[in-house]
Amino acid sequence: MTQPSFATHEVFNQSPPFEEVDLFALDRPLVEAVKANGGAAAERELSEFGRQWGSAAMAERGRVANENTPKLRTFDSKGNRRDQVEFHPAYHELMAHSARAGMHNSTWTADGNPAGDAAEVIRAAKFYIASQVETGHLCPITMTRASVAALAMQPDLLGRVMPVLSTKSYDPNFAPWWDKRGMTLGMGMTEKQGGTDVRANMTRAVRDGDAYRITGHKWFMSAPMCDAFLVLAQADQGLTCFFMPRFAPDGSVNAIQFQRLKDKLGNRSNASSEVEFVGAYAERVGEEGKGIRTIIQMVQFTRQDCAIASSGLMRSGLAHALHHARHRSVFQKHLADQPLMQAVLSDMALHVEASVALVMRLCRAFDRTPHDPAEAAYMRLLTPAIKYWTCKSAPAFLYEAMECLGGNGYVEDGILARHYRESPVNAIWEGSGNVMCLDVLRALARETDAAMAVLQGLAAETKGLSGAGEAISFIGKTFRRADGERVARLAVEKLALLAAAAALNGVSPRHAELFAVTRLAANHASMYGAVELESGEVRALLERALP
């Protein structure tokens, strides 16, 4: 007797996994932005990196690291304090790959000086690609890289740390940093009562010989398994920056007691903690009372990475949406050939193209800052503006990318739900939107002439683009207003859009004009695809985004 078949369906009309691809070579806007900003010589290195991070194996590591979140082991089985965080092996593998690529130190020489040439641009391209695969582990990568700028305020300490920090090894062992093959650094600034207002910090530092003992708490301290942390505490002369290792000089575990790990919306693979210091050993970094001046050297770099990572997340959202649309048939056509979907995807592609051009232009400024005052002024004025625009753009953009996949975008089987949860952290970390706007206002007030020179440079670079002249006039008038803070968000967004148009004009003038027409000459609609682009421009944008 013939048995009935219980097969109810076959799988078809679904897109294949977006894996085993070169995340660098497939991204023409990235390739061209790197070249325009001095990184052309690294194309082979970046393509190799793009193939590695575009592999199915790397995608799987990202998935597993986020599904198996860190666990705090406060005590051992006998009741002794342990204060260790356990991670899934996939997290450690991601960290090892990032360290091997030098993402935590390649912008510095072995003795802690800026590497020069296009080191920032090349490293940013890697960071941009890696963020498309797994963003959480990049938090300690970012802080380790940025910490060198603060440690430079204490040359003797920097000299001791760099031989370990400058290696391309990742060493997850719980051991004193000076005995390890490589090290990572975290930071602890915010407290319950103050948050962004770190001057309200109550953690106290008491001198103990040449070192200090620190007592207090931190409401957020990311990556608690780092080998050392830069923390802020009140010393006799005021708020001061300190280097706090996990182990004291005698080899004993330092008095850093983790209370719990944060239960976060995203950034799940990375641990963030609440912590108490109970007379913890620390060394001063910089002068007493100059803690903010010291730590801000580090914060500029972490803000830069927030902008890069947000742009990378948006790029990934676009790539997955476009890849899906090219394989999915709806109403007898591929989804990518439907005019309304083309309008959405091309508008999104234009946004990403401007974003990557802008962050790479910013990284060029970081490369040139040590020897070019004009680039230093660009970096100081525009870092907060660029962080503001790119980071606050990402959540809405990634929602749109999810919608392009329909239900497949909303479920946890794919990467876009994780990207969506991840995206708000970059706008919140290292200064929320309002803080970024206030920092732009401060830069204008403290360095008025230099800031005006930056605006003049942007005016020259956008000359002839639709709406650019009006944007320059609006920005200048708004920032001169006595109530400028009240309307700062509008002016800072316009400043970022102008800078994006200028950066894109140096990469692809044709698309810079499209960006200017839709973003400067008119207010961009709140929904992607609610602009009209010629069919030829639509095809060109989509082909550049994903050949």
Side-chain angles (χ1 to χ4, degrees):
M1 182 176 179
T2 303
Q3 296 293 323
S5 172
F6 292 102
T8 58
H9 71 282
E10 59 178 313
V11 177
F12 66 99
N13 196 25
Q14 289 281 358
S15 57
F18 185 62
E19 297 170 350
E20 302 302 340
V21 296
D22 183 337
L23 292 176
F24 179 72
L26 277 181
D27 190 344
R28 275 186 62 196
L30 174 61
V31 172
E32 294 182 11
V34 168
K35 182 178 180 179
N37 289 287
E43 284 191 5
R44 180 176 295 181
E45 174 189 350
L46 292 173
S47 190
E48 181 181 341
F49 185 88
R51 288 192 297 273
Q52 181 189 49
W53 283 80
S55 68
M58 292 300 283
E60 181 68 2
R61 290 184 181 106
R63 181 190 68 81
V64 173
N66 278 271
E67 290 185 4
N68 296 272
T69 55
K71 295 178 176 61
L72 176 62
R73 302 301 186 192
T74 309
F75 299 93
D76 67 14
S77 61
K78 306 299 182 183
N80 300 303
R81 292 262 353 172
R82 185 174 174 186
D83 291 303
Q84 288 183 259
V85 182
E86 293 181 354
F87 293 88
H88 189 275
Y91 172 89
H92 293 302
E93 291 168 1
L94 289 162
M95 288 291 293
H97 280 286
S98 289
R100 195 173 302 124
M103 281 196 286
H104 68 306
N105 61 18
S106 60
T107 59
W108 307 108
T109 64
D111 56 0
N113 291 313
D117 295 325
E120 290 281 353
V121 171
I122 295 165
R123 184 257 181 193
K126 293 179 181 179
F127 199 87
Y128 177 86
I129 290 169
S131 68
Q132 298 173 41
V133 180
E134 206 296 302
T135 315
H137 84 285
L138 294 175
C139 177
I141 294 293
T142 284
M143 293 188 295
T144 302
R145 196 279 290 235
S147 67
V148 177
L151 291 172
M153 306 294 283
Q154 197 67 37
D156 60 326
L157 177 59
L158 180 67
R160 284 186 281 131
V161 167
M162 281 308 297
V164 185
L165 194 151
S166 63
T167 74
K168 291 188 176 181
S169 297
Y170 169 65
D171 187 344
N173 291 314
F174 189 52
W177 66 263
W178 54 88
D179 288 336
K180 297 182 67 170
R181 293 177 290 109
M183 67 182 296
T184 55
L185 282 91
M187 61 193 298
M189 293 198 296
T190 60
E191 299 181 5
K192 297 182 184 74
Q193 72 284 349
T196 297
D197 183 10
V198 294
R199 294 185 188 277
N201 282 7
M202 298 172 64
T203 296
R204 297 293 307 176
V206 177
R207 187 177 287 276
D208 181 14
D210 292 333
Y212 291 77
R213 293 289 172 177
I214 295 182
T215 302
H217 83 282
K218 296 297 171 187
W219 185 231
F220 273 93
M221 193 159 83
S222 270
M225 282 312 293
C226 284
D227 298 294
F229 306 91
L230 293 181
V231 302
L232 293 176
Q234 300 286 356
D236 289 343
Q237 301 300 314
L239 194 65
T240 304
C241 181
F242 293 93
F243 175 85
M244 182 184 291
R246 287 302 310 272
F247 288 80
D250 63 2
S252 63
V253 178
N254 206 358
I256 302 171
Q257 299 185 352
F258 298 112
Q259 305 303 299
R260 62 171 176 168
L261 300 184
K262 296 289 191 180
D263 186 7
K264 298 171 292 183
L265 169 67
N267 204 244
R268 305 287 289 184
S269 69
N270 175 50
S272 299
S273 65
E274 295 171 30
V275 64
E276 295 282 344
F277 306 134
V278 191
Y281 170 91
E283 299 180 44
R284 179 171 49 79
V285 182
E287 299 177 47
E288 270 200 20
K290 305 295 184 183
I292 293 177
R293 181 186 298 177
T294 301
I295 206 78
I296 202 68
Q297 307 299 320
M298 179 180 184
V299 168
Q300 286 285 63
F301 288 96
T302 53
R303 289 176 175 176
Q304 176 196 18
D305 275 3
C306 287
I308 298 168
S310 289
S311 300
L313 286 170
M314 289 189 284
R315 161 63 194 177
S316 184
L318 171 66
H320 280 89
L322 185 50
H323 174 76
H324 174 83
R326 285 177 174 167
H327 288 87
R328 180 79 164 178
S329 293
V330 179
F331 307 129
Q332 290 77 54
K333 279 186 179 181
H334 278 118
L335 190 54
D337 295 328
Q338 301 284 0
L340 196 50
M341 182 56 79
Q342 287 183 338
V344 172
L345 290 170
S346 60
D347 197 18
M348 294 170 69
L350 184 57
H351 182 94
V352 171
E353 185 146 348
S355 298
V356 67
L358 180 58
V359 296
M360 291 301 159
R361 172 63 185 91
L362 177 64
C363 293
R364 186 177 88 191
F366 273 81
D367 273 321
R368 297 182 177 181
T369 283
H371 51 79
D372 189 332
E375 292 291 325
Y378 181 101
M379 182 270 288
R380 287 191 294 273
L381 178 65
L382 285 173
T383 296
I386 292 170
K387 178 185 183 298
Y388 175 84
W389 179 63
T390 55
C391 296
K392 292 188 79 64
S393 297
F397 185 100
L398 286 159
Y399 155 70
E400 195 70 61
M402 290 168 64
E403 189 174 289
C404 292
L405 275 69
N408 285 349
Y410 191 69
V411 295
E412 297 291 345
D413 298 297
I415 198 172
L416 293 190
R418 169 155 46 100
H419 281 348
Y420 182 66
R421 290 196 311 276
E422 190 76 32
S423 59
V425 71
N426 290 319
I428 294 169
W429 189 42
E430 299 296 35
S432 61
N434 284 350
V435 173
M436 293 302 96
C437 292
L438 291 172
D439 279 0
V440 171
L441 293 178
R442 289 190 195 99
L444 285 163
R446 292 173 181 173
E447 302 179 75
T448 303
D449 292 343
M452 289 302 108
V454 172
L455 290 176
Q456 290 168 5
L458 294 177
E461 292 166 12
T462 55
K463 187 175 181 180
L465 293 181
S466 298
E470 293 82 356
I472 286 283
S473 177
F474 174 82
I475 292 166
K477 289 178 181 176
T478 303
F479 285 143
R480 285 194 296 269
R481 286 174 53 168
D483 62 346
E485 183 176 325
R486 187 171 61 84
V487 290
R489 280 194 169 213
L490 188 57
V492 169
E493 181 176 354
K494 191 74 75 173
L495 174 61
L497 292 172
L498 184 72
L504 188 53
N505 207 25
V507 177
S508 175
R510 173 184 177 187
H511 295 121
E513 173 59 19
L514 289 182
F515 184 81
V517 165
T518 56
R519 271 75 170 177
L520 289 178
N523 289 327
H524 186 262
S526 60
M527 307 298 175
Y528 288 99
V531 298
E532 185 175 359
L533 301 176
E534 296 294 332
S535 58
E537 302 294 1
V538 168
R539 287 194 298 272
L541 282 164
L542 297 183
E543 183 64 23
R544 284 170 62 80
L546 195 66

